[in-house]
Amino acid sequence: MTGRAQLMWDEALTGYDFGAGHPMDPVRLALTMSLVRAYGLDQALEVVAAPPAGDSTLQLVHRADYIAAVRRVSADPSLADGSYGLGTQDDPAFAGMHEVSALIAGQSVAAAEAVWRGRVSHAVNFSGGLHHAMPGAASGFCVYNDAALAIARLLELGAERIAYVDTDVHHGDGVQAAFWQDPRVLTISLHEHPRTLFPQTGWPQESGGEGAEGSAVNVALPAGTGDEGWLRAFHAVVPQLLGAFRPQVLVTQHGADTHMEDPLAHLAVSLDAQRVVQEQCHELAHEHAEGRWLALGGGGYAVVDVVPRSWTQLVAIAAGVGLDPEGDTPEPWRREVYARTRESAPSRMTDGFRPRWRELPDDGYDPADRLDQAILATRREVFPSHGLLPLH
Ligand SMILES: [Zn+2]
């Protein structure tokens, strides 16, 4: 299957490290790549290390003064005073911050180029998906918005319709902001409700700027939503919109922080439901975008129990390799997990669930159900802009 898919990886990506005690521990990337290798997935696709994004690429999304500020604190972290969101509790400055953030962005941009040029159908950068970074500020553990940069590069290469589906538990606010007034980019974010979670945006009424009405889509899920509800929301919104929009490329963000064990959020999704959504994204790319699929990582703070398994199954899907979820995780990987973290590794690739989504008959909405209310609010807001009926 060589040439079909590629995985972006460079050991230096683990240098994206905000320091001890920060939730975004880079061991999550290292343990993911180890698990990918333990399953031999690195033999089933091409592993590629791309160069860092240069300034002209970063400026497709980010302001020059912000990039200069990142460079400044990267060279001397003591200069970070909170301006541009740098030196905050969420985004503490660290030496080399610019270089490694640009390296992450470079992976997503190169992955987008490979997919657009047809060198591969699918490309994965699980170190990316840093969806909170704004044009002029760091935010929510994100410095440069690799997702937005990849999309901007696709536009520069001539793409006319790009769909971005963000399944992280947090709203994909930075990507939405970057393309708020651009009808060529459809952003769809499913996330925990802004009332209960950072970044407190992503209301269904946020649906795109002037000239791009309906190009931003937000499903605000009630805290506590589990597998059935999460899958129902995905299936009630994403396939319909992609069918109407007909993207040339599908970019997806797979933050693993929807998981029930995630310490920073309050959804109750299993690894098994995450796999269903990953598989769906893959199928939707084939159905609507001639297979052109760029899959990114994102959040995920259960760094041992959840993230490596979630993104390894994502890599397997992109590589076209069936991993048995019931199978045991490889013993050498478990030993490595213990050696690095003194925590015991999960023993299987499943959480033991077999999630299904509730089907949606024409009149199947329950007006008293908070999840159905959330879905309907979104569909009423944006479906008419795409020629779709909110109730069908
Ligand atoms: Zn997140």
Side-chain angles (χ1 to χ4, degrees):
M1 293 302 246
T2 308
R4 183 177 173 274
Q6 77 181 35
L7 171 63
M8 313 307 297
W9 181 252
D10 184 325
E11 298 296 334
L13 293 164
T14 60
Y16 193 76
D17 187 353
F18 292 106
H22 192 283
M24 203 178 225
D25 185 333
V27 78
R28 67 202 201 110
L29 301 180
L31 292 180
T32 300
M33 194 59 198
S34 302
L35 189 54
V36 163
R37 289 190 176 119
Y39 275 116
L41 297 173
D42 56 330
Q43 306 300 314
L45 41 62
E46 199 182 342
V47 180
V48 175
D55 278 22
S56 61
T57 299
L58 294 174
Q59 283 180 35
L60 292 175
V61 168
H62 294 289
R63 290 192 339 231
D65 58 323
Y66 171 59
I67 298 167
V70 176
R71 276 187 195 281
R72 239 182 347 261
V73 303
S74 180
D76 181 356
S78 74
L79 296 175
D81 59 3
S83 57
Y84 296 99
L86 299 165
T88 55
Q89 196 177 358
D90 275 4
D91 300 275
F94 60 90
M97 181 187 224
H98 166 80
E99 286 73 17
V100 71
S101 303
L103 186 63
I104 292 173
Q107 306 313 304
S108 293
V109 168
E113 289 170 350
V115 167
W116 181 252
R117 294 185 170 133
R119 224 175 58 71
V120 292
S121 304
H122 313 325
V124 180
N125 176 23
F126 60 73
S127 76
L130 303 180
H131 60 169
H132 296 306
M134 289 292 172
S139 174
F141 315 163
C142 304
V143 178
Y144 295 137
N145 197 318
D146 63 287
L149 287 162
I151 293 168
R153 178 69 179 131
L154 290 167
L155 293 173
E156 193 179 50
L157 289 170
E160 289 163 337
R161 292 180 313 283
I162 301 159
Y164 171 76
V165 176
D166 186 319
T167 66
D168 192 284
V169 78
H170 300 94
H171 176 221
D173 57 343
V175 185
Q176 174 178 295
F179 305 105
W180 183 246
Q181 291 184 302
D182 195 331
R184 296 173 298 174
V185 182
L186 173 68
T187 64
I188 306 175
S189 179
L190 292 94
H191 45 260
E192 182 178 330
H193 200 285
R195 248 189 228 108
T196 50
L197 196 66
F198 177 90
Q200 279 85 43
T201 55
W203 296 78
Q205 294 77 17
E206 296 168 33
S207 56
E210 207 182 322
E213 292 84 359
S215 74
V217 179
N218 288 290
V219 188
L221 303 163
T225 296
D227 284 357
E228 188 182 73
W230 192 60
L231 294 178
R232 176 173 168 85
F234 184 93
H235 285 277
V237 172
V238 177
Q240 295 84 341
L241 287 168
L242 295 187
F245 187 70
R246 298 178 300 110
Q248 294 163 300
V249 187
L250 178 62
V251 181
T252 56
Q253 196 271 19
H254 297 274
D257 43 10
T258 47
H259 195 273
M260 58 185 92
E261 286 175 39
D262 195 89
L264 298 192
H266 324 92
L267 294 195
V269 170
S270 72
L271 204 68
D272 302 285
Q274 290 179 348
R275 184 174 56 249
V276 170
V277 160
Q278 292 162 353
E279 283 166 349
Q280 279 294 306
C281 288
H282 174 232
E283 281 170 30
L284 288 165
H286 279 284
E287 203 172 321
H288 300 297
E290 294 173 12
R292 286 186 285 265
W293 182 33
L294 169 56
L296 306 171
Y301 309 99
V303 299
V304 173
D305 273 343
V306 177
V307 174
R309 292 186 296 159
S310 188
W311 294 345
T312 295
Q313 67 190 13
L314 177 66
V315 171
I317 291 163
V321 173
L323 280 191
D324 176 13
E326 304 287 336
D328 292 341
T329 50
E331 178 59 35
W333 180 74
R334 284 192 248 169
R335 280 199 302 270
E336 183 189 339
V337 168
Y338 185 75
R340 292 182 81 128
T341 67
R342 298 290 149 190
E343 288 180 46
S344 46
S347 58
R348 292 195 302 165
M349 287 296 279
T350 178
D351 284 333
F353 293 89
R354 290 170 190 266
R356 303 211 185 290
W357 62 92
R358 273 188 291 151
E359 289 296 338
L360 294 176
D362 288 352
D363 56 354
Y365 290 97
D366 176 358
D369 182 273
R370 287 167 66 224
L371 179 80
D372 281 8
Q373 289 167 9
I375 293 170
L376 276 177
T378 301
R379 291 174 53 130
R380 287 204 178 97
E381 181 70 31
V382 297
F383 268 31
S385 313
H386 295 271
L388 298 165
L389 295 168
L391 281 171
H392 287 272

